[in-house]
Amino acid sequence: IGSIPNSLPQFLELGYKHDGGTSVVNWHNEVNIPFGYGYRYLTGGANTQLNWTNWSNPEGQSLRNFLQANIDAGLTPVITFYNIKNTLPSIGNTEQEKVISNLRNDSSMLSYYNNIQLVMQICAEAEFADETIILHVEPDMFGFIEKEARNQDVSLSNFEASVESSTHPITTGLPNSAEGFALALLKLRDTYAPNVLMAYSFSWWSNGGITNDNNILSESTVRQRAIETANAVFEMGFNSSNTYGIS
C-alpha cells in the first residue's frame, strides 16, 4: 500500500537486535558489515512493574540509550512495541483471548495509550527529533484481530475495541473499533513524534496461511488469501483517505 517513505532507502536492508550501549557501537564498527537497522522489543505490559519504563532509571532511559546507540552506529532504530497481551488484567486462556480482552478493556487501554505515548515523546526529544525512527506495533495482534473478526463475521472497521471509551484525550472522536485503535496510534504519532514511521504486522496465518499440512496451496488460493489480507489492511484505515496518514 502506498510507496516507500522518502526517509528510508529504496532498497532492502538488514538489521540486528541489540539493547544499546557503547559495546554495540564498537562491535558494529569492528565487523564492518553495512547493516541498516538496529531493533529491540519494549515489553512487560503497559500497567505492570515489568514494563519497559522500569528497566532503567530514570524512567525510559533504556530506550534513550538504545536510540543513541543506533544513531552513533549509523543505524535506523526499530522499536517493536509488544505490550498488549501482558497488560493487566489479561483475561483468557490463549494469547489471542488475552489480547482481545485487553483491547476491549477501557482501563487497560488507557494505560496502553499512555505507555505508547511516552515512547513517542522520547523519540521526539531534541537529540532524536531529526532522526527517522520506526515503531513496529504489536506483531501478532493484528493477526489475532483479523482472525477473530472472521470468526465473528464482522469487518475490522466494526470490530469492538476500546478507543474513545478509554478516555485518553487523543482518542476523542475516534470509533471504538479496531480501525479506531489503529487511527489512534497514527494520531499519537502525528501529535507527538512526526519523525516516527509506524509499522503494523498483518500475519499470514490469520486467514489460513499459504500452506496446508506442509503442502503448498494452489496459486489461486494464495492469491485469494493475499487479497483478503490486503482488504483487512484497508478495513483498518490504512489508506490514502484517512486523516492521519498511512506510514
Side-chain angles (χ1 to χ4, degrees), residues 103-119:
L103 186 65
R104 293 173 171 172
N105 183 300
D106 291 340
S107 177
S108 298
M109 291 310 295
L110 177 58
S111 296
Y112 186 91
Y113 294 128
N114 283 330
N115 199 233
I116 200 168
Q117 176 180 317
L118 179 58
V119 175

Side-chain angles (χ1 to χ4, degrees), residues 37-124:
Y37 301 93
Y39 81 96
R40 77 170 302 180
Y41 273 69
L42 297 183
T43 62
N47 56 6
T48 78
Q49 289 299 311
L50 298 177
N51 184 252
W52 63 273
T53 56
N54 297 319
W55 294 352
S56 59
N57 188 26
E59 181 182 69
Q61 186 60 41
S62 62
L63 174 56
R64 296 182 181 92
N65 293 343
F66 166 76
L67 295 174
Q68 190 62 56
N70 280 288
I71 293 168
D72 292 344
L75 301 168
T76 297
V78 181
I79 304 162
T80 295
F81 191 81
Y82 198 78
N83 284 279
I84 195 162
K85 184 192 76 169
N86 291 323
T87 296
L88 299 175
S90 193
I91 297 171
N93 295 317
T94 66
E95 184 175 357
Q96 179 169 315
E97 290 173 349
K98 293 176 181 179
V99 166
I100 299 302
S101 69
N102 279 340
L103 186 65
R104 293 173 171 172
N105 183 300
D106 291 340
S107 177
S108 298
M109 291 310 295
L110 177 58
S111 296
Y112 186 91
Y113 294 128
N114 283 330
N115 199 233
I116 200 168
Q117 176 180 317
L118 179 58
V119 175
M120 304 282 191
Q121 290 171 318
I122 291 174
C123 288

Side-chain angles (χ1 to χ4, degrees), residues 23-40:
S23 60
V24 173
V25 179
N26 293 337
W27 176 85
H28 178 85
N29 293 332
E30 287 174 5
V31 298
N32 197 30
I33 298 174
F35 289 109
Y37 301 93
Y39 81 96
R40 77 170 302 180

Side-chain angles (χ1 to χ4, degrees), residues 158-171:
N158 293 318
F159 187 82
E160 180 187 353
S162 173
V163 186
E164 187 172 41
S165 62
S166 75
T167 71
H168 190 286
I170 209 74
T171 65

Side-chain angles (χ1 to χ4, degrees), residues 73 135 160 228:
L135 181 54
E160 180 187 353
E228 291 171 358

